[in-house]
Amino acid sequence: ETGVTQTPRHLVMGMTNKKSLKCEQHLGHNAMYWYKQSAKKPLELMFVYSLEERVENNSVPSRFSPECPNSSHLFLHLHTLQPEDSALYLCASSQEWSRGYANYGYTFGSGTRLTVV
Amino acid sequence: EDQVTQSPEALRLQEGESSSLNCSYTVSGLRGLFWYRQDPGKGPEFLFTLYSAGEEKEKERLKATLTKKESFLHITAPKPEDSATYLCAVSYSGAGSYQLTFGKGTKLSVIP
């Protein structure tokens, strides 16, 4: 299997549940990302993992917790979410940036459509 | 103020009717401008990267151009299969080296 694979494709969870989203890439990339896509809003970067560092958007609530056990796998752990967290969650990967910035296109997965009830 | 603005928000074209999508940006120190295509229920698919004013790239019916403050995605003789949301994103020196800042996208519908 090639590309970036996300599971599950759809998830409905209650506000008290704990669930995890999974992302796997088979491209040999060494940077992985979580993005949130809400209707009528731009894609919002949540977390980045690269060979050397993890970077997060400080505005992301602590109820979202990322985990990156190796360069091919990325998880997003969810707990006590709110209805406004309902969105499409996208995983992406890329080659490590050269010359200090990301000049390669990302490869995105198909996303997990999350609904919080 | 949005740093990346795409217009129009939605565009309906007849098959074969050429047009352009616009992406304007207000950031300084542009490192790269990216175009993506997103189909319903799928993640964005990378199309182009442009690095400097005057640069152009082409892929099938699509041609992307870049000036100092905006980029255009020209669609020549579109077909129904070109229907999708087109996203523009920038990487710039004022943001983290890892970060792409996206616009809200233009939803293109091509009618047979």
Side-chain angles (χ1 to χ4, degrees):
Chain A
E1 188 173 353
T2 60
V4 178
T5 304
Q6 289 188 243
T7 55
R9 290 297 310 275
H10 301 273
L11 178 62
V12 179
M13 59 186 289
M15 294 195 295
T16 58
N17 292 159
K18 289 185 179 181
K19 297 286 184 182
S20 295
L21 309 184
K22 179 181 177 181
C23 176
E24 187 173 0
Q25 60 98 0
H26 305 272
L27 299 168
H29 290 167
N30 48 28
M32 297 186 77
Y33 312 79
W34 280 117
Y35 274 86
K36 177 182 179 181
Q37 188 173 35
S38 303
K40 304 294 185 182
K41 292 184 178 180
L43 269 74
E44 176 188 355
L45 178 65
M46 300 178 74
F47 302 101
V48 181
Y49 278 90
S50 74
L51 282 177
E52 298 180 354
E53 62 179 338
R54 161 186 154 175
V55 179
E56 58 188 86
N57 183 337
N58 290 329
S59 67
V60 176
S62 59
R63 55 186 182 268
F64 294 92
S65 175
E67 179 188 1
C68 189
N70 54 60
S71 62
S72 298
H73 295 85
L74 184 65
F75 296 89
L76 186 63
H77 303 299
L78 317 172
H79 64 97
T80 60
L81 294 191
Q82 303 299 310
E84 61 263 30
D85 296 322
S86 298
L88 181 67
Y89 288 85
L90 291 162
C91 174
S93 70
S94 71
Q95 281 296 104
E96 180 62 62
W97 40 85
S98 63
R99 293 177 288 171
Y101 59 91
N103 60 349
Y104 299 108
Y106 294 174
T107 301
F108 283 89
S110 294
T112 295
R113 173 66 64 184
L114 174 67
T115 303
V116 181
V117 298
Chain B
E1 178 186 344
D2 289 345
Q3 295 172 306
V4 180
T5 302
Q6 292 188 246
S7 62
E9 184 173 324
L11 180 63
R12 286 172 61 94
L13 298 174
Q14 290 294 126
E15 184 172 1
E17 179 187 3
S18 301
S19 188
S20 296
L21 312 182
N22 178 262
C23 171
S24 63
Y25 56 93
T26 58
V27 303
S28 299
L30 182 75
R31 292 169 170 162
L33 185 141
F34 302 79
W35 282 99
Y36 290 85
R37 168 193 170 126
Q38 187 173 22
D39 293 303
K42 294 188 177 182
E45 175 188 353
F46 171 71
L47 293 173
F48 305 109
T49 309
L50 302 167
Y51 296 107
S52 57
E55 188 175 2
E56 299 181 351
K57 289 192 176 174
E58 291 187 63
K59 180 179 180 180
E60 297 180 355
R61 295 176 292 282
L62 301 177
K63 179 180 178 180
T65 62
L66 180 64
T67 70
K68 287 187 176 181
K69 284 300 175 186
E70 59 189 348
S71 176
F72 293 93
L73 184 65
H74 306 279
I75 303 177
T76 302
K79 298 182 178 181
E81 53 262 42
D82 294 322
S83 297
T85 295
Y86 290 85
L87 301 173
C88 171
V90 298
S91 172
Y92 64 102
S93 58
S97 58
Y98 46 83
Q99 185 169 349
L100 292 186
T101 301
F102 282 83
K104 296 180 181 178
T106 293
K107 184 176 181 180
L108 174 66
S109 301
V110 182
I111 312 303

